[in-house]
Amino acid sequence: MPLPKAELHLHIEGTLEPELAFALAERNGVELPYADTEQLRRAYAFEDLQSFLNLYYELMAVLRTEQDFEDLANAYLERAAAQGVRHAEIFFDPQAHIARGVGMGTVVEGLWRALGRSEENHGVSTQLIMCFLRDESADSALETLEAAKPYLDRIVGVGLDSAEVGHPPVKFREVYEAAAALGLRRVAHAGEEGPPEYITEALDVLGVERVDHGLRCMEDPALVERLVRERVPLTLCPLSNVRLRAVDVLAEHPLPAMLDAGLLCTVNSDDPAYFGGYAGDNFDAVRSSLGLSEERLRELARNSFLASFLEHDEERRARYVAEVEAYEFS
Ligand SMILES: [Zn+2]
């Protein structure tokens, strides 16, 4: 039995495996520029962020109907459950779908068809977080929030993702204020490839409660001290960091130093179909490459539940944490 954990940094579009991409392409009559799943799988061996993003957006063309989004989410939840995920807070990128004519309702209702039944079907509780693409305009983000208003009973919070450098958090001040006024929780990618100042800005200007990645906080000791003092969770994605060259090799990942510094770190999969593994694979990788002790792994799992947005159900959180404490490593 795998270590129980919550997944807090997972883009549902990044869970599209080649087999499902081909199945959906066939169902929807979409032509993919790959001969078969093997050739597509080889294309997943991209070299950098831009070639990843190109493939990522190209493959989204196969997602057209509610059924497609339901199938995508169910495929992820099944894999996540098998790797010990008990609770998942799932990102989605509405702008990437709206731009190609697939409406907010199709995306949210389709995902919800899987998420709403996830506990009975997969034993995984879920929340949905809507992300704004930071390389799109601030106005586009505001329009997206407006389009989401009929679906806010399905959405727990907002996030900020895609290409970071050149798109500082302050660009999205207005939409985050509007989201806060609607009672939405706030997170943002910051300090992955962007500088530590973006992390500070995400906290001070956007009011985020959790920082996605946040790796580069380690360049600023005063910031580390603040993140520790304020107990700000960081959602790290070790295998993603290697694939996108935020670190050269996993053995050099700063996770052990971050834990030693007292940071509230969690381990997540980001875009698992593309980055070489799901949540449990990331735990296995840091265990073997970084030599983390069982108590450190338990701490990471405990942190994932402490950092999750389960304030509406503290009983559930306590139950999950108790599962972590009782877990026996094999
Ligand atoms: Zn991400």
Side-chain angles (χ1 to χ4, degrees):
M1 190 187 86
L3 179 63
K5 57 186 76 69
E7 172 128 83
L8 307 178
H9 185 155
L10 180 279
H11 304 270
I12 197 65
E13 295 89 349
T15 68
L16 183 58
E17 296 283 345
E19 294 73 18
L20 184 59
F22 265 93
L24 297 183
E26 190 172 2
R27 188 158 84 196
N28 292 324
V30 174
E31 192 91 32
L32 287 177
Y34 304 93
D36 52 31
T37 53
E38 276 316 301
Q39 199 191 26
L40 177 54
R41 176 74 67 191
R42 281 196 295 277
Y44 279 36
F46 47 81
E47 294 284 305
D48 55 36
L49 180 64
Q50 200 51 57
S51 52
F52 158 63
L53 288 174
N54 293 346
L55 179 65
Y56 188 67
Y57 292 119
E58 176 181 83
L59 285 187
M60 278 188 205
V62 305
L63 296 165
R64 305 222 55 92
T65 65
E66 284 189 21
Q67 182 72 55
D68 300 337
F69 286 94
E70 179 183 5
D71 292 350
L72 179 70
N74 271 325
Y76 161 68
L77 289 164
E78 190 177 332
R79 285 171 185 266
Q83 296 203 358
V85 172
R86 306 283 285 112
H87 176 75
E89 302 191 351
I90 297 172
F91 294 140
F92 71 110
D93 284 325
Q95 285 154 296
H97 307 300
I98 291 169
R100 51 190 188 81
V102 178
M104 180 72 80
T106 302
V107 181
V108 175
E109 294 300 348
L111 293 173
W112 197 257
R113 278 159 59 162
L115 269 49
R117 288 194 287 269
S118 173
E119 281 214 74
E120 41 183 304
N121 290 343
H122 307 286
V124 181
S125 54
T126 59
Q127 312 243 47
L128 203 48
I129 297 176
M130 177 175 78
C131 284
F132 305 116
L133 298 178
R134 67 199 306 155
D135 41 3
E136 297 289 332
S137 70
D139 283 344
S140 173
L142 282 163
E143 286 162 19
T144 305
L145 183 63
E146 195 60 37
K149 280 185 178 166
Y151 308 100
L152 291 184
D153 57 334
R154 307 270 199 254
I155 298 170
V156 71
V158 295
L160 191 59
D161 64 7
S162 199
E164 185 182 3
V165 173
H167 303 284
V170 66
K171 177 177 163 186
F172 297 95
R173 178 202 298 268
E174 198 181 340
V175 74
Y176 269 68
E177 282 172 0
L182 290 167
L184 292 164
R185 313 294 296 262
R186 288 163 288 169
V187 301
H189 285 48
E192 177 190 15
E193 45 171 7
E197 292 74 33
Y198 281 20
I199 300 173
T200 305
E201 211 174 276
L203 294 168
D204 291 339
V205 179
L206 304 185
V208 302
E209 301 169 75
R210 212 159 65 195
V211 174
D212 295 313
H213 292 297
L215 207 60
R216 289 187 61 191
C217 74
M218 295 303 277
E219 296 166 27
D220 180 349
L223 176 58
V224 169
E225 204 177 295
R226 175 184 178 183
L227 293 169
V228 171
R229 190 176 60 242
E230 296 179 5
R231 301 284 289 156
V232 178
L234 306 178
T235 64
L236 301 173
C237 306
L239 290 175
S240 160
N241 294 153
V242 175
R243 288 304 301 280
L244 295 181
R245 308 285 164 87
V247 299
D248 289 332
V249 291
L250 195 51
E252 289 171 16
H253 198 281
L255 175 61
M258 297 176 86
L259 289 168
D260 287 344
L263 288 163
L264 204 161
C265 299
T266 64
V267 164
N268 308 272
S269 67
D270 208 1
D271 299 285
Y274 297 88
F275 297 153
Y278 288 76
D281 300 318
N282 273 269
F283 268 78
D284 291 345
V286 297
R287 183 180 195 178
S288 57
S289 291
L290 298 170
L292 291 190
S293 67
E294 290 175 358
E295 282 322 299
R296 279 301 198 205
L297 295 168
R298 195 188 305 279
E299 177 186 347
L300 288 168
R302 186 191 303 118
N303 286 350
S304 71
F305 293 114
L306 297 180
S308 62
F309 292 149
L310 280 170
E311 281 76 3
H312 63 287
D313 195 351
E314 290 294 348
E315 203 177 304
R316 177 188 297 274
R317 193 203 309 271
R319 197 165 67 239
Y320 289 150
V321 171
E323 279 183 42
V324 172
E325 304 305 348
Y327 183 76
E328 288 182 32
F329 287 88
S330 53

